[in-house]
Amino acid sequence: PVLLSCGSAQPPGSCPAPCECSEAAKTVKCVNSNLTAVPPDLPLYVRILFITGNRLAKLPAGAFPARRLPDLSALNLSGNRLEAVEAGALASLPALRQLDLSGNPLASLSPQAFGEGGSPLEELALRGALRNRAVLLSLAAVLQSGALRNLSRLELSDNELLLLPAGMFAALPALRQLDLSNNSLVGLRNVSFQGLGQLQSLDLSNNSLGVLRNDTLAQFRSLPALQLIGLGRNAWVCDCAIRDLVAWLKESDQVESKEALTCAYPAKMLGKALLEINGSDLDCSGPVDLPSQLQTSYVFLGIVLALIGAIFLLVLYLNRKGIKKWMHNIRDACRDHMEGYHYRYEINADPRLTNLSSNSDV
């Protein structure tokens, strides 16, 4: 009778219907199964979980309870339709070391997604998941809070990033690999790599970097473990500002395939290897730091516009009585004009007045 009454229940350690399970490999795969939520009956033995290519709109709090998944160490949620990761969604996984959220159109990432006490997470992949600027800022807040201070690998490639939030990596002392490739980074002025004493690999390839300045190069020199820097496929501007970068390239062994780095601008330097540049090759007749000059010009323009606005308001204030009288005159003139129109309309609308006004003998 007990067996009959429990016949419909899922026995512990069973495999959810749309998934494939291997107890020997401690692996569960729920791939392209049109799931809209995390299966609630995952086997206790699972250590590697794939839930990819489904239709998960959000991860709510408690989506992965620790009592059901005490040994889960690798979680792949890539290629779903995740838009929101709510507070506490990934907080109760004591063994989690690897998380992949790549290929999801994230629009909301709670700063408490990994809980209040920190996470044991060591590898985080977010390829193509940070196209929304608000999510990037939320991730920066999570990283700066120290909740992921055990991270050793962070992948942020393919996100169309232009600029990174200041101090984004300040609380990642264990970070060894940082992938920022295939973005649109135009500069690293507000990016600090200080405190990343364990950083071994930094990939900045396939971005829009035009130059690396002395403060950034000094940070690279100060990182004792940094062995590999990827700088390929960037739009290097070979003017006077690139002299420091060229000098550093010639003395450094950190840059991967540095012989292949070539100029993209100006036209006469197109395709020239950075390592072959000499001082005589550079045209220093123009402004060296165009972004700084543009910034100065914008500041000056803003000051001028502010002064013009202040003078305009002062003139209005000093002439407030005259302006008020002028406005009253305009109002009275408009009212008289409208009364004339109204009077003419009444005459035209009354046939008796119309006949009277048309009789030349009257």
Side-chain angles (χ1 to χ4, degrees):
V2 174
L3 290 176
L4 291 174
S5 63
C6 298
S8 60
Q10 191 109 14
S14 64
C15 186
C19 306
E20 298 178 1
C21 305
S22 172
E23 186 170 1
K26 310 295 184 185
T27 301
V28 174
K29 295 182 179 181
C30 308
V31 179
N32 298 327
S33 302
N34 287 322
L35 295 175
T36 58
V38 178
D41 50 357
L42 293 168
L44 293 174
Y45 62 73
V46 61
R47 293 183 181 177
I48 304 174
L49 175 59
F50 291 86
I51 303 179
T52 62
N54 291 287
R55 298 186 294 116
L56 278 66
K58 67 177 181 179
L59 285 182
F64 301 96
R67 59 182 176 80
R68 287 198 285 113
L69 305 169
D71 300 322
L72 183 63
S73 61
L75 174 59
N76 191 329
L77 296 171
S78 63
N80 288 292
R81 301 179 186 179
L82 278 176
E83 295 183 359
V85 180
E86 299 180 353
L90 300 163
S92 301
L93 296 173
L96 187 63
R97 298 295 183 270
Q98 301 173 357
L99 174 63
D100 193 341
L101 292 170
S102 301
N104 286 293
L106 292 179
S108 172
L109 174 64
S110 170
Q112 291 81 38
F114 296 91
E116 300 290 345
S119 169
L121 195 66
E122 296 177 356
E123 299 183 14
L124 175 59
L126 290 161
R127 296 184 309 276
L130 301 176
R131 306 290 175 85
N132 188 309
R133 177 70 179 177
V135 177
L136 176 63
L137 296 177
S138 298
L139 174 65
V142 172
L143 298 178
Q144 292 168 342
S145 71
L148 299 179
R149 62 182 300 106
N150 295 312
L151 273 186
S152 62
R153 185 173 183 272
L154 179 59
E155 188 171 351
L156 304 177
S157 61
D158 300 314
N159 284 303
E160 301 178 357
L161 303 177
L162 289 172
L163 296 171
L164 295 173
M168 183 174 180
F169 310 119
L172 299 175
L175 194 64
R176 290 185 172 87
Q177 296 178 329
L178 177 58
D179 188 352
L180 294 167
S181 64
N182 298 315
N183 284 294
S184 302
L185 295 174
V186 295
L188 299 174
R189 279 191 168 185
N190 63 329
V191 181
S192 175
F193 299 101
Q194 298 296 332
L196 302 182
Q198 303 297 320
L199 189 63
Q200 299 175 359
S201 172
L202 174 62
D203 195 348
L204 293 165
S205 61
N206 201 14
N207 276 282
S208 300
L209 298 173
V211 68
L212 294 179
R213 304 189 180 277
N214 249 336
D215 52 352
T216 301
L217 300 177
Q219 291 187 61
F220 291 163
R221 293 189 186 98
S222 68
L223 298 176
L226 187 57
Q227 301 173 356
L228 188 63
I229 304 176
L231 295 175
R233 300 184 301 281
N234 278 285
W236 303 112
V237 179
C238 295
D239 58 12
C240 282
I242 207 168
R243 287 179 297 187
D244 295 330
L245 174 59
V246 171
W248 174 72
L249 286 174
K250 291 180 178 179
E251 69 181 28
S252 174
D253 295 327
Q254 298 170 302
V255 180
E256 180 184 18
S257 303
K258 61 182 180 180
E259 298 82 6
L261 302 182
T262 58
C263 301
Y265 305 98
K268 69 175 185 178
M269 299 288 285
L270 179 63
K272 186 175 182 63
L274 267 60
L275 290 177
E276 297 177 359
I277 292 178
N278 298 315
S280 59
D281 297 325
L282 301 175
D283 182 8
C284 298
S285 58
V288 174
D289 193 357
L290 184 58
S292 296
Q293 289 199 352
L294 287 175
Q295 185 177 9
T296 303
S297 300
Y298 290 144
V299 171
F300 179 74
L301 178 61
I303 294 173
V304 171
L305 292 176
L307 287 174
I308 293 174
I311 293 172
F312 179 72
L313 292 175
L314 180 62
V315 171
L316 290 179
Y317 177 76
L318 294 176
N319 294 276
R320 61 189 184 279
K321 292 183 179 179
I323 293 174
K324 185 177 181 181
K325 183 178 180 180
W326 178 69
M327 293 295 293
H328 282 304
N329 292 338
I330 292 178
R331 183 193 64 186
D332 293 340
C334 290
R335 183 166 53 192
D336 293 341
H337 198 60
M338 292 304 296
E339 286 179 352
Y341 273 117
H342 182 68
Y343 178 70
R344 187 176 301 172
Y345 172 78
E346 288 181 344
I347 292 176
N348 294 334
D350 192 335
R352 295 174 301 172
L353 295 177
T354 302
N355 294 333
L356 183 63
S357 61
S358 62
N359 190 345
S360 58
D361 295 333
V362 177

